[in-house]
Amino acid sequence: MSKTFVFGHRNPDTDAIASAIVMAHLESQLSPDAQIEAVALGDPSSETRYALEHFGIVAPRVIETARPDAEQVILVDHNERQQSVRDIDEVVITKVVDHHRIANFETSAPLWFRAEPLGCTCTILWRMYDENDVPIPADLAGLMASAIISDTLLLRSPTTTEYDRRAASDLAGRAGIDLQRYGTDLLRAGTDVGDLSATELIDRDAKSYTMGSTTVRVAQINTVGTGPLLARRDEFLAAMKAEAQQAGYGLFLLLITDVLEVDSDLLVVGEPLEAVEKALGVSVHDGHASAPGIVSRKKQVVPQLTEALREN
């Protein structure tokens, strides 16, 4: 029997890493004879490392390609091919569990596909464990709670649903953590930028999208207090312009998000700039715009910008 890899998107966030680990565990419980391995398409962030270390979980190994080790894959927390493993066209996708839009996705054979408009993929997995009557170990419960905290900014993001709230409360209880206290510590851990360069920071949590005829890159940096990062605005804009030219992005957006204030500043390079302003209701001056209340790439940026670029 061939091995199946389970992984989230490139530049993985906490939900991408957690969902891979949790989905692989669920699959192993439902199919004990299957060869399932959770892997990652990048190193864990400081936030994710904090969660993994807190609950004593080993980070999955990082892969560049699925083959020759695996012929089948399960995608979690993504479905768009440009966000997936490099050789995605050479393997069989057997399952997908995601909470994002569905785009640029097709397969040659039927598959099991579950997508729900919830705040976090781990919330979907929480429901799947319950539906299959599979108990959630305490360490995995803590990791799942961490993913929900991360994706919903401690349940304050507009992406948060009642299912996310219920899941976070239940999982925190199973893990034996205080949701608010642990959640604040986790989010603070994720704001540590250390001595990373602008180029490293804009790639740490970034995704590419095809919107109409435009390839768009949207990055996000979480912080507590945006001042120090905004002081590096020219450095960020230069790095974004260089990467956009090298990779062929028509637009490159960077959200600098204050995770405690739940507000963002936006940096933009590329064209059409008027599409960004129309989609997000902002005014861009010298590559910068205030974006109060905009904290979710998935709900508050990508759908609106996709529609605006479709009209261009």
PDB file of all heavy atoms in Angstrom, residues 132 140 144 176 192 202 271:
ATOM      1  N   ASN A 132     -17.449  10.955  13.570  1.00  0.00           N
ATOM      2  CA  ASN A 132     -16.906   9.598  13.458  1.00  0.00           C
ATOM      3  C   ASN A 132     -16.683   8.929  14.810  1.00  0.00           C
ATOM      4  O   ASN A 132     -16.140   7.816  14.860  1.00  0.00           O
ATOM      5  CB  ASN A 132     -15.595   9.641  12.676  1.00  0.00           C
ATOM      6  CG  ASN A 132     -15.799   9.908  11.194  1.00  0.00           C
ATOM      7  OD1 ASN A 132     -16.181   9.009  10.448  1.00  0.00           O
ATOM      8  ND2 ASN A 132     -15.558  11.146  10.774  1.00  0.00           N
ATOM      9  N   LEU A 140      -3.593  17.005  20.959  1.00  0.00           N
ATOM     10  CA  LEU A 140      -4.155  17.452  19.688  1.00  0.00           C
ATOM     11  C   LEU A 140      -5.267  18.469  19.901  1.00  0.00           C
ATOM     12  O   LEU A 140      -5.440  19.395  19.099  1.00  0.00           O
ATOM     13  CB  LEU A 140      -4.675  16.261  18.877  1.00  0.00           C
ATOM     14  CG  LEU A 140      -3.631  15.261  18.378  1.00  0.00           C
ATOM     15  CD1 LEU A 140      -4.251  14.302  17.369  1.00  0.00           C
ATOM     16  CD2 LEU A 140      -2.431  15.962  17.761  1.00  0.00           C
ATOM     17  N   MET A 144      -5.403  22.061  18.141  1.00  0.00           N
ATOM     18  CA  MET A 144      -6.576  22.516  17.397  1.00  0.00           C
ATOM     19  C   MET A 144      -7.094  23.841  17.951  1.00  0.00           C
ATOM     20  O   MET A 144      -7.460  24.749  17.189  1.00  0.00           O
ATOM     21  CB  MET A 144      -7.667  21.447  17.445  1.00  0.00           C
ATOM     22  CG  MET A 144      -7.301  20.160  16.728  1.00  0.00           C
ATOM     23  SD  MET A 144      -8.440  18.792  17.091  1.00  0.00           S
ATOM     24  CE  MET A 144      -9.837  19.235  16.045  1.00  0.00           C
ATOM     25  N   GLY A 176      -7.015  21.378  28.825  1.00  0.00           N
ATOM     26  CA  GLY A 176      -6.704  21.905  30.144  1.00  0.00           C
ATOM     27  C   GLY A 176      -6.051  23.273  30.128  1.00  0.00           C
ATOM     28  O   GLY A 176      -5.156  23.560  30.926  1.00  0.00           O
ATOM     29  N   ASP A 192       6.544  37.922  17.137  1.00  0.00           N
ATOM     30  CA  ASP A 192       7.992  38.058  17.261  1.00  0.00           C
ATOM     31  C   ASP A 192       8.635  38.013  15.878  1.00  0.00           C
ATOM     32  O   ASP A 192       8.648  36.968  15.225  1.00  0.00           O
ATOM     33  CB  ASP A 192       8.546  36.940  18.140  1.00  0.00           C
ATOM     34  CG  ASP A 192      10.055  37.011  18.309  1.00  0.00           C
ATOM     35  OD1 ASP A 192      10.618  38.078  18.023  1.00  0.00           O
ATOM     36  OD2 ASP A 192      10.660  35.983  18.705  1.00  0.00           O
ATOM     37  N   ILE A 202       7.803  39.289   4.452  1.00  0.00           N
ATOM     38  CA  ILE A 202       6.688  39.291   3.504  1.00  0.00           C
ATOM     39  C   ILE A 202       6.423  37.897   2.940  1.00  0.00           C
ATOM     40  O   ILE A 202       5.367  37.665   2.330  1.00  0.00           O
ATOM     41  CB  ILE A 202       6.902  40.294   2.354  1.00  0.00           C
ATOM     42  CG1 ILE A 202       8.119  39.916   1.506  1.00  0.00           C
ATOM     43  CG2 ILE A 202       7.016  41.707   2.891  1.00  0.00           C
ATOM     44  CD1 ILE A 202       8.301  40.787   0.262  1.00  0.00           C
ATOM     45  N   GLU A 271      -0.440  47.241  -9.985  1.00  0.00           N
ATOM     46  CA  GLU A 271      -1.644  47.797 -10.605  1.00  0.00           C
ATOM     47  C   GLU A 271      -2.643  46.672 -10.893  1.00  0.00           C
ATOM     48  O   GLU A 271      -2.241  45.507 -11.016  1.00  0.00           O
ATOM     49  CB  GLU A 271      -1.276  48.506 -11.918  1.00  0.00           C
ATOM     50  CG  GLU A 271      -0.397  49.742 -11.758  1.00  0.00           C
ATOM     51  CD  GLU A 271      -1.112  50.908 -11.106  1.00  0.00           C
ATOM     52  OE1 GLU A 271      -2.368  50.883 -11.063  1.00  0.00           O
ATOM     53  OE2 GLU A 271      -0.429  51.827 -10.632  1.00  0.00           O
TER      54      GLU A 271
END
